[in-house]
Amino acid sequence: MAKKYLKLGILACLLVLGFGLAGCTSFQASGLQMGLVINGQKYEKVGDFSEKEWTNKFLGWGFNGGTLFNLSSNATEPEVRDAVEKNIRKFGGDGAIDVRIKYGSNPLQWILTGLTMGIWMPGTVTVNGTIVKAIN
């Protein structure tokens, strides 16, 4: 009977460790800009934005490294670009400055990553920034 509980305890520990390690990827970049022409043009602030989107990476890790440490993988590219462009249009601006991109995952996403053994690695990307318009 004790052996059965020991095996269940070891299995539970391995599952907790696996789920914990499954979601250990995060990334943050700040001070970025998009859509500006740098030729001495002056800009004024027209608004701030913050968007949060669910993203999907496939083959998040593997024997060959997958996309776990590959910051150039395109899991967040369409969501980030769409969020910034949508807000530039919404505020009637010409570009975005002080853009901050934060990528990470939550406990539900860790569980989903662990259950698929890293084949599907969902995450959340948050994009914040300031929209500016050119002054004539």
Side-chain angles (χ1 to χ4, degrees):
M1 189 64 131
K3 283 186 175 184
K4 183 177 181 180
Y5 287 121
L6 179 64
K7 287 180 183 180
L8 285 175
I10 291 172
L11 178 62
C13 288
L14 289 175
L15 286 174
V16 168
L17 181 65
F19 288 148
L21 292 176
C24 287
T25 301
S26 64
F27 168 77
Q28 183 169 333
S30 58
L32 306 172
Q33 63 184 26
M34 182 176 162
L36 299 179
V37 177
I38 311 286
N39 62 356
Q41 182 70 45
K42 302 233 189 253
Y43 293 93
E44 67 179 354
K45 176 183 170 181
V46 292
D48 293 311
F49 70 95
S50 179
E51 300 275 333
K52 187 180 266 191
E53 295 286 331
W54 180 288
T55 63
N56 297 294
K57 277 187 177 184
F58 292 95
L59 298 177
W61 62 40
F63 297 111
N64 61 355
T67 62
L68 182 61
F69 296 108
N70 182 2
L71 298 180
S72 64
S73 69
N74 64 357
T76 60
E77 192 273 329
E79 286 85 358
V80 170
R81 179 168 289 282
D82 291 346
V84 174
E85 288 177 351
K86 177 178 79 172
N87 282 286
I88 289 173
R89 286 190 302 275
K90 175 180 160 185
F91 287 103
D94 296 317
I97 61 170
D98 298 329
V99 176
R100 186 176 65 177
I101 303 166
K102 183 178 178 185
Y103 175 81
S105 55
N106 60 39
L108 172 63
Q109 293 165 335
W110 301 341
I111 291 169
L112 293 172
T113 300
L115 290 174
T116 62
M117 294 186 296
I119 294 172
W120 175 41
M121 193 170 180
T124 303
V125 65
T126 305
V127 184
N128 302 309
T130 302
I131 304 298
V132 294
K133 185 168 183 68
I135 302 172
N136 293 333

